[in-house]
Amino acid sequence: MNKRLLAGAICLALGMTATAQKLDKFGADLAKKSVMGKEIRVPYTDLQSYYGYIKPGAAPDEVKNGKKMYYVYVWIPIAAPEIGVRMISPVPDSMKPGDKDYVSPMYTENAADTKSFFDTWVTLERAEGIMKLEDVAGKAKSAKWVSIDKNDDSSEMPAQPSGSKYNSLMRITSNPSDPMKSLVMGLYRIGFTTYKTGEVQGSFLAQIGAPVKLPGVAIAANPADLAAAAKK
Ligand SMILES: [Ca+2]
């Protein structure tokens, strides 16, 4: 191979690496426009990120309908017009945890494993009857959870390294007249797991977005840690 061909091949290889699992900005449904047939979305103003890792054999928070569920708890301090949730596995190379992001100890411990991934699946639920952040630590475990929405695969998300579009994304627009879809202030949880049954392994990034700044929004792996997370 001559030098020019070699340089071309390297550029091509780098280009292919760079396009793998590139995560675009998380755009809202609110104020979505269609311009010449192309969807234009304004990115969520408020975006919280959670970096996690699922290890085979790790104890889930709960086994529900045969799925090993892991939860992230979110305190939403004021009514939100819309909430978006998305999840991608593995964590894209271009994404690195920042100071405000939640990073699970499992993610830090397994940072060397950038290859493993799994077919993601997300849910959003709200706890009934928890109106104060101070009540979260004591009441979350016994709370009744109302399912708001769930998603398995989204065509909007980048494909996984396998080439399949198995990452997850959903947006919920608040509907105050429907108690099931009314995004009032309160305690929420994002449930994440895999579509597959059996043991799974890999890193993931879960994000929750809102089209308005929600002062005091907090995210934590344990309800007991939410009050401290809200002060960050
Ligand atoms: Ca999926």
Side-chain angles (χ1 to χ4, degrees), residues 113-129:
D113 177 9
T114 56
K115 294 276 180 282
S116 306
F117 66 94
F118 56 92
D119 179 352
T120 64
W121 198 86
V122 292
T123 66
L124 180 69
E125 298 167 288
R126 188 180 64 246
E128 278 191 343

Side-chain angles (χ1 to χ4, degrees), residues 119-121 151-153 165-168 195:
D119 179 352
T120 64
W121 198 86
N151 182 259
D152 178 6
D153 306 333
K165 292 213 155 199
Y166 288 165
N167 288 311
S168 315
Y195 177 72

Side-chain angles (χ1 to χ4, degrees), residues 153-199:
D153 306 333
S154 167
S155 61
E156 268 190 64
M157 292 294 278
Q160 296 192 309
S162 60
S164 297
K165 292 213 155 199
Y166 288 165
N167 288 311
S168 315
L169 181 149
M170 61 186 177
R171 298 182 185 86
I172 300 102
T173 304
S174 186
N175 178 1
S177 62
D178 178 357
M180 302 292 282
K181 303 276 177 193
S182 174
L183 301 174
V184 294
M185 70 166 287
L187 177 65
Y188 292 75
R189 70 179 180 187
I190 305 171
F192 49 86
T193 184
T194 174
Y195 177 72
K196 299 270 187 317
T197 51
E199 299 295 359

Side-chain angles (χ1 to χ4, degrees), residues 4-25:
R4 187 177 288 176
L5 262 179
L6 180 65
I10 290 170
C11 283
L12 187 66
L14 286 174
M16 284 170 72
T17 309
T19 54
Q21 290 258 98
K22 187 184 172 294
L23 196 56
D24 289 331
K25 282 202 158 56

Side-chain angles (χ1 to χ4, degrees), residues 9 42 44 79 105 116 124 148 185 192 200 226:
V42 181
Y44 284 125
S116 306
L124 180 69
I148 297 173
M185 70 166 287
F192 49 86
V200 294
L226 265 183

